[in-house]
Structure formats: C-alpha cells, structure tokens
C-alpha cells in the first residue's frame, strides 16, 4: 500500500506528493548555435575551435553542434575579469 505524503506548504493548500522527483529545470538551458556564439564573443569559427579554454560544444546531430549559453557567458565573464585585473 502506497502512502501519499503531503509536501510542506506555506499558506497554500497541501497537495499530495507521489514521491517522484522532477529533474527537469524550471527554465531549460538555452543552446547557442555557432553564429550566435560568434556574435556574442566577437570571435570567428576558427578561433572558437582553436581556443583550448573555450567551452566544448554539445553534439546535437551528425552535422549540428551548440554551446550552452551559461558556459559561453561564464567564459566571457572570466575573460573580462582577467582583462580588468591587468594593470
């Protein structure tokens, strides 16, 4: 016999909980294709693939790749912090 537990609530009517966990994020990560990555970074295709510290692309299919927007943004932020730290 399965028991439905009530999740803690704060001023909201309790809802039955079946014990499953939702692993999907509330807002899925945005993926950027190469033209968008080039536009955001100011780099060309060859430079993006040649830079060893640039985020690696995700393979979407045999002929399509994309980059996680959060990783590209973090890379840009790290570069601007490094440039700001130099005298």
């Amino acid at each position: 016999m399965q028991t439905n537990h009530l999740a803690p609530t704060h001023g909201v009517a309790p809802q039955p909980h079946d014990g499953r966990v939702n692993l999907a994020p509330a807002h899925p990560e945005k993926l950027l294709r190469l033209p968008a990555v080039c536009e955001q970074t100011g780099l060309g295709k060859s430079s993006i693939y040649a830079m060893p510290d640039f985020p690696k692309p995700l393979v979407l299919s045999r002929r399509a790749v994309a980059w996680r927007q959060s990783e590209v943004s973090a890379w840009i932020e790290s570069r601007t912090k490094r440039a700001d730290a130099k005298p």
Side-chain angles (χ1 to χ4, degrees):
M1 180 172 170
Q2 184 177 1
T3 307
N4 283 344
H5 298 285
L6 298 178
T9 61
H10 302 282
V12 178
Q15 300 293 319
H17 181 63
D18 62 3
R20 293 183 288 173
V21 177
N22 182 6
L23 297 178
H27 300 286
E29 174 97 43
K30 185 170 182 179
L31 298 178
L32 303 174
R33 299 296 303 271
L34 184 61
V37 174
C38 291
E39 183 179 324
Q40 284 192 12
T41 61
L43 298 171
K45 176 182 176 179
S46 299
S47 297
I48 288 170
Y49 281 102
M51 299 185 89
D53 65 333
F54 197 79
K56 300 298 178 218
L58 300 172
V59 177
L60 303 178
S61 70
R62 244 181 50 195
R63 295 177 43 121
V65 296
W67 286 261
R68 288 183 177 97
Q69 183 177 25
S70 62
E71 292 179 1
V72 173
S73 296
W75 181 84
I76 292 169
E77 184 68 25
S78 73
R79 300 290 282 203
T80 56
K81 284 183 182 177
R82 191 181 319 166
D84 291 344
K86 290 183 179 179

